Amino acid sequence: MEAIPLVHASLGERELAAVAEVFASGWPAGQGPKGKALEAELAQKYAVADAVAVSNCGAALHLALMALDVSPGDEVIVADYTFPAPAHAVRYLGAVPVFADVRADTATVDPQAVADLVGPRTVGVIAVDTVGMPADYAPLRAITDRHGLFLVEDAACAVGATYQGRQAGSLAEVACLSFHGRKGATSGEGGALLATDPALAADARLRSSFGIGSIFDMGKVVGLPIPEFTEIGYNFKLSDIAAAILQVQLDRIDELLARRTAVAAQYTELLADEELTTTPWVPEDRTHAWQSYMVTLDASVDRAAVAADLRAQGIGCGHGAWATHLQPVFASGDSCPVSADLFHRNLALPMHAELTASQVERVVEVLRGSLRTHSTSTRILGGAA
Ligand SMILES: *Cc1c(COP(=O)(O)O)cnc(C)c1O
């Protein structure tokens, strides 16, 4: 039985060759030649003032909120249905995440829910491009402008997606990318902060290296000027090894995205007549990066039983994203019924650039059979009831 994993990072010979170059250069640490070149490439690709390469997207979100002066007691409105990194970042600073529900049709944050949650202590909003689907930035921007709030785009999953012709990652004044092994472009672990304000990026870059700037640059200065530590910084740097891998991955992004897009189209076509699943819908004005392909199961289906069937057949699957407000660490009185419903009914199917058409067919065949076994719907022939 052939295993079909949920995710698979497309890393190969080209990435290995790029790593070999870094080994030969003698500078494997961060903020060296490869890191700087990656930052320049990202700033150009996204047409932003500056890009800061960092160790992961969680660090990018943390740096973004520090640079935006988020302080204890401030409220930041966050999209509820997501990997819960945005709410973690808010809590790093002693601020309060306020959870906004999502649209049922796109699973991205509902602008009306955001508007309803703005209060006297609100300082900003973190929207999430849910598993690669850009959020509604035009109405979100209108809300944040009206109230003088910042808007951060968590584009962790969205490298390659677009909204109204613009790239995800350039849809707010600050955007955070992830290059984790489960995302569309990866260096194993990695991330970036993109900013339209160069001063904000400079602040983030400084705090990402203990507050003293590039050690690589220091080695090239004539004389011995000794930098002073004037504030507490962190070590959130991306290594030049990872940066070199990412230069190759970004060069391949169109090819990798085209393959994931083809996989998504095949799933959607094969499941079009399946009554027990709802497939993702992509509004006309945006394109999806397909970090994950999630279907929403009919309420009559026992999701855990279906997942167990798939896994028993060697097919990887997952629950998708989280309803953040339901996680014990965030337990809040906030109500996000749509997010909670998706959290309980979504199922992520295998999605990566190396899936073949016959593997996708097999996933759908096993899924369809299992849905019938584990649905209590009387509409469905062969249902358990
Ligand atoms: C994966 C993910 C993150 C975290 O990215 P890391 O690089 O692993 O820190 C943040 N936000 C969202 C929406 C994600 O999906």
Side-chain angles (χ1 to χ4, degrees), residues 36-76:
K36 287 169 191 287
L38 174 71
E39 289 183 343
E41 268 178 43
L42 287 170
Q44 195 190 22
K45 173 177 161 62
Y46 288 96
V48 290
D50 202 357
V52 186
V54 292
S55 48
N56 56 70
C57 183
L61 288 162
H62 188 176
L63 291 166
L65 297 190
M66 281 192 285
L68 289 162
D69 271 332
V70 171
S71 306
D74 286 349
E75 289 183 0
V76 179

Side-chain angles (χ1 to χ4, degrees), residues 260-274 277-282 288 290 292-295 349-351 360-361 364 367-368:
R260 288 200 308 276
T261 303
V263 169
Q266 193 189 352
Y267 274 130
T268 298
E269 190 188 324
L270 291 176
L271 288 167
D273 64 346
E274 175 53 68
T277 59
T278 305
T279 56
W281 173 71
V282 184
H288 203 303
W290 301 113
S292 294
Y293 187 92
M294 296 189 300
V295 293
L349 301 178
M351 171 52 82
V360 172
E361 278 169 25
V364 170
L367 173 64
R368 278 180 178 277

